[in-house]
Amino acid sequence: MSSLYDPAAHEPLTSSPWDDDAVRRGIAAIVADAEEVADAAAWPNHPLDDDLPDDPLPEATTGVYLGAAGMIWALHSLGSSLDLASFAAQALARYRARPDFGEDVPSLLNGESGLLLVAKVVGAEFDAGRLRARIRENMRNETWELMWGSPGTIIAARVAGIDDEWREGCEVLEAEWDRESGLWTQHLYGRTRRIVGPVHGFAGNVHALRDAVPDEALRAGVEATLRRLAVIEDDVVNWPPTENGEPNRLQWCHGAAGLVATLGDLMPTDLLVGGAELTWRAGPLV
């Protein structure tokens, strides 16, 4: 087994044929469980998500990343029969009464933009002017990443059809792309780093520029950067969380799994297959 990941943190998969019916049954069971435990458009937090002992999260969070908005969006995507429009309105009201992290922010994953976008997607009352204002407010956020920064709200603008702010946001984000390193610089949580993965860095930013920058230009930037940073062992590939780091994760946020899922169509075939193979061999987190 490759040393590019820690086998103790994973359960290696065994070869088995794909079974579409089994997968659909599994998804249906997950949806049914989520519907059953929904309580006034709220779901209980997972204990491992509340890692802020000095400033604990609300009992039931509301955002896309950790809370109700993400659950509502997922259930909508999977065909849930719940009144998700009503749920989205309730989640937005709870966020405005008490933001998850104690401060009202415009971000997609942890702020109001995400809740506004989910409201639109599921057919709830939608305030386009409010979302437009929040996208513009976030356009020059110095985090330069998907969770808190403009790449997330660029995606919100694109999905919501807020075209002027989408185009302007993309122009600002592209101007921050350092062509020498191929990366953006993140000013995040009191540190300055160049982060590689989807949620806090390069991959998420490239994804946000889709449709605004031609695929061939994105493909060239992706190949040069990922080849420079790739750690290759036999026939598998992984990437470090940061420019000068070592590969130590295999998740969506950091490592091959997230890079393949986010940029697979823009990656050279050898890197795509190597990253996917490593992810398959590792299997799900225990």
Side-chain angles (χ1 to χ4, degrees):
M1 198 63 70
S2 171
S3 62
L4 289 181
Y5 67 94
D6 177 8
H10 300 81
E11 181 177 326
L13 297 177
T14 57
S15 295
S16 58
W18 177 261
D19 186 333
D20 195 71
D21 289 339
V23 172
R24 291 182 181 278
R25 288 195 300 272
I27 293 171
I30 293 170
V31 169
D33 181 61
E35 290 177 334
E36 183 178 350
V37 300
D39 180 13
W43 286 264
N45 298 333
H46 191 287
L48 293 180
D49 282 334
D50 193 356
D51 56 358
L52 305 170
D54 297 328
D55 186 18
L57 291 170
E59 183 176 338
T61 47
T62 57
V64 172
Y65 187 65
L66 288 178
M71 293 293 295
I72 292 164
W73 172 79
L75 288 170
H76 171 78
S77 300
L78 296 171
S80 172
S81 60
L82 293 177
D83 182 0
L84 297 176
S86 173
F87 277 21
Q90 293 177 63
L92 182 57
R94 288 208 318 277
Y95 171 83
R96 287 172 172 168
R98 183 188 172 184
D100 291 347
F101 293 90
E103 179 182 358
D104 177 29
V105 293
S107 79
L108 173 68
L109 295 188
N110 287 324
E112 188 182 19
S113 290
L115 285 112
L116 290 164
L117 183 63
V118 167
K120 175 178 173 57
V121 168
V122 303
E125 183 177 348
F126 172 59
D127 187 341
R130 177 66 174 171
L131 180 56
R132 185 185 301 274
R134 303 248 64 180
I135 291 165
R136 181 159 291 283
E137 176 187 347
N138 207 39
M139 197 170 288
R140 296 181 184 275
N141 188 324
E142 67 174 3
T143 59
W144 302 117
E145 48 79 78
L146 188 78
M147 177 173 281
W148 301 100
S150 68
T153 42
I154 285 169
I155 291 172
R158 182 173 63 197
V159 173
I162 300 176
D163 292 340
D164 290 346
E165 280 71 16
W166 169 67
R167 291 191 186 92
E168 185 177 347
C170 287
E171 290 171 1
V172 171
L173 180 63
E174 187 180 10
E176 290 290 325
W177 194 351
D178 176 21
R179 298 300 180 165
E180 183 175 348
S181 69
L183 300 168
W184 283 260
T185 298
Q186 281 69 46
H187 303 275
L188 183 67
Y189 306 140
R191 301 175 66 183
T192 300
R193 293 171 291 172
R194 286 176 171 165
I195 302 173
V196 180
V199 72
H200 286 312
F202 167 77
N205 293 5
V206 171
H207 182 65
L209 291 175
R210 290 177 185 272
D211 299 333
V213 176
D215 279 358
E216 286 308 309
L218 294 179
R219 193 167 284 116
V222 165
E223 177 169 6
T225 303
L226 293 187
R227 285 205 185 280
R228 179 173 72 84
L229 298 173
V231 178
I232 302 173
E233 182 178 302
D234 299 325
D235 59 346
V236 295
V237 185
N238 204 0
W239 287 269
T242 59
E243 182 179 32
N244 297 314
E246 296 291 333
N248 61 6
R249 306 197 194 174
L250 196 53
Q251 304 164 356
W252 178 64
C253 295
H254 304 289
L259 287 163
V260 166
T262 308
L263 300 180
D265 61 316
L266 300 174
M267 295 168 67
T269 300
D270 61 320
L271 296 183
L272 168 63
V273 172
E277 179 64 24
L278 178 63
T279 305
W280 174 255
R281 291 184 190 177
L285 291 172
V286 173

